Amino acid sequence: MPKIKSEKRNDARKSGSLQGQGIHFNRDFGQHILKNPLILNAIVDKANIRPSDVVLEVGPGTGNLTVRLLEKANKVIACEIDTRLVAELQKRVQGSPLASKLQIIQGDVLKLDLPYFDVCVANLPYSISSPFVFKLLLHRPLFRSAVLMFQQEFAQRLVAQAGDKLYCRLSINTHLLSRVDHLMKIGKNNFRPPPKVESSVVRIEPKNPPPDINYKEWDGLVRIAFVRKNKTLAAEFKAKTALEVMDRNYRIHCSQHNLPLPPDFDIRGKVDEILQKSGFAQKRSRNMDVDDFLQLLQEMNAGGLHFS
């Protein structure tokens, strides 16, 4: 065990080196540097990196994880928003054999076009968790897997199944596009500075090939269905805003297909007819899985109701 303790002290010094220079971690960027070498090693192991892989790392910080990734991968592309940390990372590998394998992109990852990569590893600012997950899942070409660290409750929502308390629109959208597994919990004291919440690491593997559906239609449907996930769909789809969307889209549908629209047409009756006929009227979103929603979307579209 002395070797592990020595490594831990060494990594702690490295992760604190910015503070040693009088530069403080920026809480506005959600900077919490993972310092525990055992956890860093476990994350790299879970990523199953091959010698030929290009790895995308988001939020490399002072490079504690980056160095380990460089030792395993063919190339690491590190995205970092903070110019001070970019300089720190460059200095850390300067003059070493690892330097030629590292490419650094400075900027906001949500605004950047993601490069080609095989595996993504990220210690993300928790404030960008949701938009980054969907940016990742819609990225093409498809990558093999992503090992990502999130706030623990966010991770639990990602992996939640139909019927679980935390099951939500985030859960169903993630399950549509990928397989997601919870890998480990990480206590707040493993970071510098410690965050206010506990963390978790998950692995996401995109479905290949991805489902052949209209994602805008899908998202419009589940947005309505999960506004009040404990209500029946009959109640959900009779909400004023939902009816307005469906009424507008149905009129466009009829116009495009030269279908007559009765003068006394009421979208409410049309929605109720489809829900009753398909058997979904009394179902609740909290208990519906991906296959249920795919069937519901098919029934709605077949009846001329659209959501994009």
Side-chain angles (χ1 to χ4, degrees), residues 198-212:
E198 302 296 319
S199 303
S200 284
V201 176
V202 304
R203 178 169 50 235
I204 295 176
E205 298 175 351
K207 292 181 179 177
N208 191 7
D212 184 20

Side-chain angles (χ1 to χ4, degrees), residues 14-229:
K14 289 176 180 175
S15 64
S17 59
L18 281 182
Q19 290 176 320
Q21 298 171 20
I23 303 173
H24 297 285
F25 295 119
N26 191 329
R27 292 182 181 272
D28 290 339
F29 292 154
Q31 291 172 348
H32 300 279
I33 307 302
L34 182 60
K35 62 182 183 179
N36 187 325
L38 299 179
I39 295 176
L40 290 163
N41 290 339
I43 290 173
V44 174
D45 288 343
K46 297 291 186 183
N48 296 319
I49 297 169
R50 302 168 185 170
S52 60
D53 280 344
V54 174
V55 176
L56 174 68
E57 185 188 9
V58 181
T62 55
N64 291 343
L65 185 58
T66 313
V67 170
R68 288 166 167 81
L69 295 173
L70 287 167
E71 291 169 349
K72 296 280 187 178
N74 180 53
K75 180 180 181 180
V76 174
I77 303 172
C79 291
E80 175 56 60
I81 194 171
D82 192 334
T83 54
R84 303 168 308 161
L85 292 178
V86 168
E88 179 73 10
L89 187 55
Q90 288 171 330
K91 284 192 294 183
R92 184 157 185 177
V93 300
Q94 191 174 22
S96 76
L98 301 178
S100 62
K101 299 166 68 175
L102 176 63
Q103 176 186 346
I104 302 175
I105 300 176
Q106 194 274 318
D108 183 344
V109 71
L110 295 182
K111 298 177 182 178
L112 297 171
D113 291 330
L114 297 182
Y116 168 85
F117 61 94
D118 301 292
V119 177
C120 178
V121 179
N123 175 13
L124 288 168
Y126 295 151
S127 60
I128 68 167
S129 296
S130 186
F132 180 74
V133 166
F134 290 108
K135 182 182 180 76
L136 203 58
L137 289 175
L138 295 175
H139 176 67
R140 298 294 181 271
L142 288 172
F143 55 96
R144 190 169 73 248
S145 66
V147 175
L148 311 172
M149 190 184 308
F150 297 114
Q151 180 178 337
Q152 194 169 105
E153 184 172 320
F154 182 89
Q156 290 170 340
R157 292 180 186 277
L158 277 181
V159 302
Q161 300 293 322
D164 292 348
K165 183 178 179 181
L166 291 177
Y167 189 63
C168 59
R169 187 166 66 91
L170 173 68
S171 314
I172 192 73
N173 279 332
T174 306
H175 296 325
L176 171 74
L177 298 170
S178 68
R179 172 183 171 178
V180 57
D181 298 297
H182 185 277
L183 298 180
M184 68 181 90
K185 296 179 181 179
I186 303 179
K188 60 184 73 174
N189 291 331
N190 292 291
F191 299 86
R192 175 176 297 171
K196 295 180 180 179
V197 296
E198 302 296 319
S199 303
S200 284
V201 176
V202 304
R203 178 169 50 235
I204 295 176
E205 298 175 351
K207 292 181 179 177
N208 191 7
D212 184 20
I213 64 167
N214 183 317
Y215 294 117
K216 290 185 177 180
E217 285 270 332
W218 166 275
D219 190 53
L221 174 74
V222 297
R223 278 179 184 274
I224 293 172
F226 276 96
V227 170
R228 297 172 298 171
K229 66 178 182 180

